[in-house]
Amino acid sequence: MTVTEEHAPEIGKARARKEDARLITGRSRYTDNMVLPGMLHLAMVRSPLARARITSIDTSAARSAPGVVRVLTGKDLTGEQGSMPNAWPVTEDQKAPPHPAVAEETVNFAGEIVAVVIARSPAAARDAVELVDVDYEPLTPVVDLATAARDEELIYPELGTNHSATWVFDSAEAGTGGDIKEAISAAEIVVERTFRQQRLIPAFMEPRSTVVDPTGEQLTVWSATQIPHILRVMLALTLGIPESKLRVIAPDVGGGFGGKLQVTPEEVITVLAARRTGKPCKYTETRSETMVGAHHGRDQIQTLRISAKADGTVTGLDVHLVANMGAYLGLITSGIPILGAFMYNGIYKFPAYRFECTNVFTNQVWTDAYRGAGRPEATFAIERMMDELAAELGMDPIEVREKNWIQHDEFPFATVSSLEYDSGNYEAATAKALELFGYDELRAEQTRRRESGDVVQLGIGVSTFTEMCGLAPSRVLGALSYAAGGWEHAQVRVLPTGKVEVVTGVSPHGQGHVTSWSQIVADRLGVAFEDVEVLHGDTQVSQRGLDTYGSRSLAVGGMAVVAAADKVIEKAKVVAAHLLEAGTDDVEFSGGQFTVRGTDQRVGFGDVAFAVFAAHDLPEGFEPSLDSDATYDPENFSFPHGTHLAAMEVDTETGQVRVRKYVCVDDVGNVINPMIVDGQVHGGLAQGIAQALFEEAVYDESGTLLTGSFTEYLVPSAPDLPAFTTDRTITPSTTNALGVKGVGEAGTIASTPAIVNGVLDAIRHLGVTDVEMPCSPSRVWHAIQAARAGSGTGHTGTGGEEAQR
């Protein structure tokens, strides 16, 4: 039977999101909206010093303040608070200091929690924080990453070094490629550059918030988190609470970008406070606390050498990273730069490759996942290097990429970094992007501006990228010593009236899961889009899952939904055959109808659902339920790709930079909802462009965060960004039934190098070879002045070379 009009395909339709009506009419329920009877409120006392011994804490004045119920210090919680978890020990000899939720003896970054006030109102708690008197013995902070790497001052003397771990991948040793030393020594050209990945702050809209209710049979935790299931497991392990006695709920969550992919000290503290007082407790951070106390992202020094033939054919890639862990290891801090290890080769056919990363402690808030998590850093570095190679050889940046990328007929392709790319067509995406961009015309305009000495110069930035996403498979994560797997779980429940409930283990915070999952199930089961309800984010409802990060929701979580829906169909087919008095093998299902092959006999999905509910006439031994569960563990990552082009105008007199035109053509495989895909790409572009031009977390020499509010930490708004021209090519993934790839991080990964390459292309003819991110007017102007003075700019991240030595 063909699909009828009333069951026209949902997949591919630009459906308005089901979630949005509730959110935009103020009917959302964020964690801070929670009000429970007798609820107490928490406020944190935070260290103003980046490194010090705590010599005394006097809480007497705070304890006697109006409305204060209790004040807790780290010593009050000794033996109870445990140490914050790190789920990714990247090497067997990884070094990690204990990480108490509330500092007990020492503080190691400005903003670390040293005491907790519990009061009857938020105002009373905040007021009492000012009454806690803490005496510190200052110690010398180590803030500069390159300095920390030299071990001149040890942050943790008991560890004997500031180095946490060194992780190495060598293609010669792995059997995936040649020897990098031989490739470099035999090369006709070798280009070496050092880049600085600045520290970034996940600027999610909703501050972190936690509510804990200890009054029931279970301890119930509401949290603004991306990872309710992982949080439940880690709270149980950290605090010794039976997992069955913990329920974690992620209600509406206002953005995350990796910043809420964490088990936070504040969550642990709120649980401890609720257990101590026996009353519900709430903690909601201020925006400044988000900046100083929540984990940051990026912060690496990258030194790369690329070897090539004189015609531009690459022969080897050597990568050395120094990665800033900050003061502690968070949930996956140590593994973030390692994720990038598999992507530095990008879309290119490198015969030899070596990657080495040294993780280093400093007296700053710890780093962890931030949109893209290791992959943006890798893409930035290799796309910058391809431009540098093109400049050295006098080639067009597109030409040098075309010479080296994997051709569409070479897929599946085993890369030098040990991955297998299943599908892709870099030629098609690039051709479409060049046409939309007007590449040749803009190059001609660039030539005219240079010849005329125009004050405002034009540059063209190129980024041709791929990424590994759909964080999985479990066996790969296990080989990398990651504590958890990469599977995902779903359940499809069929109600007596033929309506459907989908329970998903992924936990949305703005991605549109409810809408997309409804479209998938509507198509699979032939029911109306409006008749599908999606449940998520509550470990009591969605009992199994590994949550949302790494662009895994659709490629992993969506496939679990498909598998569960297919099981429903197989169950229903048995009942349909019984009702139609036919053999099960003779029954076909399409568009919500079960049909006997070659006849017009049929029965609808809703009729079968009610027949199962009534259970009056079922096949012998058939259990009266169509509900089905599925756990899906991918066989491979998914590999979206694309070509991003940026036309950048640079005022050579002021250093002002403007994005004049931005075109991107992404290939994310088959598309479930193009409106949602476009939204994800647009949001990703904003964050990637922000790293290139605006955002940077800056500490002074004492370890004080200078960018502790949005006055100093620059997040772009709509007027700062251009209208984006977006389009797609479609190369379906061959490793999942939907043919889908991830999209949540693509824009962020691809856009940063496109913008920076464009800035440099505008002023390279003036002698500028690098501008450290963010490319602010001041930095661009100084680079131009240095080049005009004859000193050149070289490359700005020289600290990386010192760290390597």
Side-chain angles (χ1 to χ4, degrees):
M1 176 184 173
T2 59
V3 177
T4 59
E5 185 178 349
E6 56 269 30
H7 292 302
E10 283 289 341
I11 290 178
K13 187 181 292 186
R15 278 277 192 184
R17 301 198 322 173
K18 282 185 174 183
E19 303 91 322
D20 289 349
R22 181 174 54 81
L23 294 171
I24 65 178
T25 55
R27 291 181 288 121
S28 53
R29 196 182 195 196
Y30 297 101
T31 303
D32 192 48
N33 297 140
M34 294 291 302
V35 178
L36 301 177
M39 188 165 67
L40 302 175
H41 299 265
L42 275 57
M44 307 299 170
V45 181
R46 297 180 182 271
S47 170
L49 302 180
R51 187 172 177 229
R53 290 188 184 90
I54 301 170
T55 56
S56 68
I57 302 180
D58 184 354
T59 63
S60 57
R63 289 199 312 271
S64 61
V68 172
V69 173
R70 191 168 297 189
V71 181
L72 299 173
T73 67
K75 290 188 176 180
D76 294 328
L77 300 172
T78 298
E80 184 180 355
Q81 65 174 324
S83 182
M84 300 304 300
N86 172 244
W88 201 337
V90 294
T91 63
E92 291 183 359
D93 61 350
Q94 173 177 284
K95 294 178 172 60
H99 183 184
V102 182
E104 297 181 18
E105 303 289 344
T106 60
V107 293
N108 291 293
F109 68 92
E112 185 166 2
I113 299 166
V114 297
V116 185
V117 175
I118 308 169
R120 301 193 188 281
S121 72
R126 288 194 295 268
D127 288 346
V129 161
E130 303 299 323
L131 301 176
V132 178
D133 188 9
V134 186
D135 282 335
Y136 300 96
E137 177 189 336
L139 300 172
T140 303
V142 182
V143 180
D144 179 71
L145 178 55
T147 301
R150 292 195 293 269
D151 277 346
E152 294 172 358
E153 173 76 25
L154 297 184
I155 298 169
Y156 302 105
E158 66 274 18
L159 299 182
T161 179
N162 291 327
H163 294 196
S164 176
T166 296
W167 192 91
V168 176
F169 178 88
D170 191 304
S171 64
E173 295 177 2
T176 58
D179 182 82
I180 189 62
K181 291 182 179 177
E182 294 178 3
I184 289 174
S185 64
E188 294 173 313
I189 183 170
V190 177
V191 178
E192 179 173 349
R193 297 288 186 270
T194 298
F195 306 122
R196 186 73 166 89
Q197 283 280 329
Q198 78 270 40
R199 178 174 281 250
L200 301 175
I201 298 175
F204 34 74
M205 186 175 292
E206 176 206 18
R208 298 174 303 160
S209 182
T210 303
V211 173
V212 179
D213 185 0
T215 59
E217 290 298 315
Q218 289 180 305
L219 195 74
T220 302
V221 180
W222 290 265
S223 182
T225 182
Q226 299 175 219
I227 53 167
H229 296 90
I230 293 173
L231 177 58
R232 183 191 189 202
V233 172
M234 290 302 176
L235 285 175
L237 293 173
T238 301
L239 298 177
I241 303 171
E243 191 179 349
S244 61
K245 296 296 183 183
L246 272 172
R247 177 184 183 184
V248 176
I249 302 170
D252 292 320
V253 176
F257 313 123
K260 293 173 183 172
L261 170 54
Q262 191 61 258
V263 179
T264 70
E266 292 85 355
E267 288 165 330
V268 169
I269 291 166
T270 309
V271 170
L272 293 174
R275 293 174 73 187
R276 285 289 187 104
T277 62
K279 293 183 177 295
C281 288
K282 178 195 284 188
Y283 169 74
T284 301
E285 68 187 359
T286 64
R287 179 59 67 182
S288 62
E289 285 182 297
T290 301
M291 308 296 246
V292 303
H295 78 247
H296 294 172
R298 312 284 194 257
D299 206 347
Q300 298 176 5
I301 298 169
Q302 306 169 299
T303 299
L304 290 86
R305 286 188 295 172
I306 192 168
S307 59
K309 298 178 181 178
D311 67 355
T313 303
V314 297
T315 60
L317 178 64
D318 189 20
V319 178
H320 287 259
L321 299 188
V322 179
N324 193 344
M325 303 290 97
Y328 298 107
L329 299 182
L331 190 64
I332 53 175
T333 300
S334 40
I336 295 300
I338 308 307
L339 279 174
F342 304 98
M343 294 272 70
Y344 275 85
N345 49 286
I347 65 173
Y348 308 112
K349 295 181 285 189
F350 282 97
Y353 172 58
R354 189 178 187 278
F355 171 94
E356 180 176 319
C357 175
T358 300
N359 290 342
V360 176
F361 292 115
T362 63
N363 289 119
Q364 297 161 304
V365 70
W366 69 96
T367 57
D368 211 302
Y370 178 68
R371 197 170 189 171
R375 278 93 29 94
E377 297 93 312
T379 299
F380 177 84
I382 188 57
E383 288 305 292
R384 284 284 296 106
M385 288 301 287
M386 295 306 285
D387 259 37
E388 293 301 304
L389 177 61
E392 290 284 336
L393 294 171
M395 296 175 65
D396 185 277
I398 295 291
E399 181 186 358
V400 79
R401 287 167 169 81
E402 289 176 336
K403 181 175 285 290
N404 291 290
W405 67 34
I406 304 159
Q407 301 293 321
H408 73 276
D409 56 0
E410 294 180 290
F411 290 95
F413 187 88
T415 74
V416 73
S417 64
S418 80
L419 296 180
E420 182 173 280
Y421 295 174
D422 64 329
S423 66
N425 192 330
Y426 310 139
E427 305 100 297
T430 302
K432 181 176 278 193
L434 292 173
E435 180 182 357
L436 291 170
F437 191 66
Y439 188 82
D440 292 339
E441 294 86 347
L442 284 167
R443 282 293 183 201
E445 180 184 343
Q446 180 186 51
T447 299
R448 291 195 299 272
R449 288 199 186 194
R450 287 187 179 179
E451 290 173 349
S452 67
D454 198 327
V455 168
V456 178
Q457 288 290 304
L458 177 66
I460 297 174
V462 179
S463 175
T464 51
F465 85 106
T466 188
E467 60 155 321
M468 53 183 266
C469 61
L471 194 57
S474 297
R475 66 183 184 277
V476 174
L477 297 177
L480 292 172
S481 301
Y482 182 61
W487 53 265
E488 196 46 74
H489 185 76
Q491 181 184 46
V492 174
R493 305 196 297 226
V494 181
L495 305 181
T497 56
K499 306 296 191 288
V500 178
E501 291 178 337
V502 178
V503 182
T504 179
V506 292
S507 185
H509 44 281
Q511 293 87 347
H513 293 172
V514 171
T515 302
S516 297
W517 279 209
S518 295
Q519 291 179 268
I520 291 169
V521 172
D523 270 9
R524 216 71 182 181
L525 300 184
V527 299
F529 169 79
E530 294 78 11
D531 288 347
V532 182
E533 191 76 23
V534 179
L535 308 175
H536 57 80
D538 182 342
T539 62
Q540 196 93 312
V541 175
S542 170
Q543 297 173 353
R544 301 185 62 207
L546 285 172
D547 307 318
T548 298
Y549 41 84
S551 300
R552 71 187 300 272
S553 294
L554 180 57
V556 188
M559 278 304 301
V561 170
V562 167
D566 287 349
K567 288 183 179 181
V568 167
I569 294 169
E570 291 307 307
K571 284 185 179 182
K573 191 178 287 186
V574 174
V575 177
H578 178 76
L579 296 175
L580 294 167
E581 298 181 343
T584 304
D585 291 342
D586 293 327
V587 174
E588 299 174 332
F589 179 72
S590 179
Q593 299 286 321
F594 294 92
T595 308
V596 179
R597 186 180 295 111
T599 75
D600 59 359
Q601 291 180 280
R602 67 187 59 202
V603 63
F605 181 82
D607 295 327
V608 172
F610 195 82
V612 171
F613 166 70
H616 295 163
D617 183 19
L618 295 178
E620 190 68 29
F622 188 93
E623 296 181 2
S625 172
L626 297 178
D627 298 354
S628 298
D629 292 75
T631 301
Y632 176 75
D633 199 344
E635 62 183 76
N636 196 2
F637 301 95
S638 71
F639 298 95
H641 67 83
T643 297
H644 288 225
L645 301 171
M648 306 298 297
E649 291 186 332
V650 179
D651 189 320
T652 57
E653 292 185 349
T654 66
Q656 185 67 42
V657 174
R658 184 175 79 92
V659 186
R660 172 172 147 187
K661 187 174 186 179
Y662 197 99
V663 169
C664 62
V665 175
D666 287 294
D667 193 320
V668 298
N670 291 331
V671 173
I672 304 300
N673 187 319
M675 184 185 300
I676 289 176
V677 168
D678 287 343
Q680 288 290 303
V681 171
H682 284 194
L685 293 176
Q687 285 188 276
I689 293 171
Q691 177 173 6
L693 299 180
F694 299 101
E695 296 186 29
E696 182 178 22
V698 180
Y699 286 86
D700 66 15
E701 293 180 356
S702 69
T704 299
L705 184 67
L706 300 179
T707 51
S709 76
F710 286 144
T711 302
E712 302 88 14
Y713 189 83
L714 303 182
V715 176
S717 61
D720 299 308
L721 299 170
F724 303 124
T725 300
T726 63
D727 207 335
R728 282 183 290 277
T729 55
I730 296 177
T731 311
S733 172
T734 62
T735 59
N736 66 69
L738 289 171
V740 296
K741 306 175 183 182
V743 70
E745 297 159 308
T748 302
I749 290 169
S751 58
T752 307
I755 295 295
V756 176
N757 279 340
V759 170
L760 288 170
D761 188 57
I763 55 179
R764 191 183 292 274
H765 67 291
L766 302 177
V768 178
T769 60
D770 191 29
V771 178
E772 191 171 289
M773 293 190 292
C775 299
S776 64
S778 174
R779 284 180 172 163
V780 172
W781 185 85
H782 279 99
I784 293 170
Q785 299 312 306
R788 284 174 171 168
S791 61
T793 62
H795 45 90
T796 58
T798 54
E801 294 176 341
E802 296 174 8
Q804 298 297 341
R805 287 197 292 269

